[in-house]
Structures are given as C-alpha cells and as structure tokens.
Amino acid sequence: VQLQASGGGLMQAGGSLRLSCAVSGGSLGYYAVGWFRQAPGKEREFVAAIGRSGRPYYSDSQKGRFTISRDNAKNTVYLQMNSLKPEDTAVYYCAAGSTATVVADAYYYWGQGTQVTVSS
C-alpha cells in the first residue's frame, strides 16, 4: 500500500488549503487514516484521523478549523484546513492503519509528506 499526500503550499494567515491523501495498492475502505505534522525542530504531532466508518477525530488545537473526510470510491482522504495560522506551518503526513488513533506508531503505511507554509 502506498500513500501520496498532496495539496500543500504557501498560504497567508486566515486562508484555506485542502490536503489530499491518495491510497494505491490497496482499498482505502480497509483502513483508518491519520494526518500528522512536523514543524522544524519539533516533534511529530497528531492532527486528525478518520476511522473506517467515517468517524473523525481531531486534535484539540485543530478542532473547528480542520475537517477530515474520506471518499472510498476515489481511495482518497482529505484534510480541509481553514483559518490557517503561521503555527500550522509544517510538513503534513498521512498514514494508514487499522484504527484511527493519535499514536503514530500504530499506523502501518506512511506517505512522503507535503509542505504547508503559512505566512503572517
């Protein structure tokens, strides 16, 4: 199974971006998918996850600004990010596993990451 994250870029504070995580080599329906991010000099942190049923989970700091969704027919998970802040600047990674969890090590497969930069 391979994951391809895309959609990152440079955005001004207050703007929006939608990240995509395309799954290949397997059916997305079998997996929960999580988004994590890592800023320079910081540890990787949980952003959001979506279970196989479609139930979403969010980090408290993103709740209300970010929305995770999935389209099993397109084998793609999305992360809609609104009201972006400079502190959202990071490389965003998507990962697939059997359970939607905040624990990064629980995910089996990881994408290569996409850079999100938010200017003030």
Side-chain angles (χ1 to χ4, degrees), residues 1-64:
V1 175
Q2 293 83 42
L3 281 70
Q4 178 77 38
S6 62
L10 175 63
M11 179 60 62
Q12 287 190 331
S16 298
L17 281 173
R18 188 178 78 159
L19 305 184
S20 298
C21 177
V23 176
S24 61
S27 175
L28 174 62
Y30 290 122
Y31 300 101
V33 174
W35 284 96
F36 293 78
R37 68 185 185 186
Q38 188 165 20
K42 295 187 177 181
E43 294 187 354
R44 183 173 50 189
E45 65 171 341
F46 171 77
V47 175
I50 189 163
R52 287 179 287 180
S53 66
R55 179 179 176 179
Y57 302 84
Y58 299 99
S59 168
D60 286 343
S61 61
Q62 282 86 43
K63 198 173 295 183

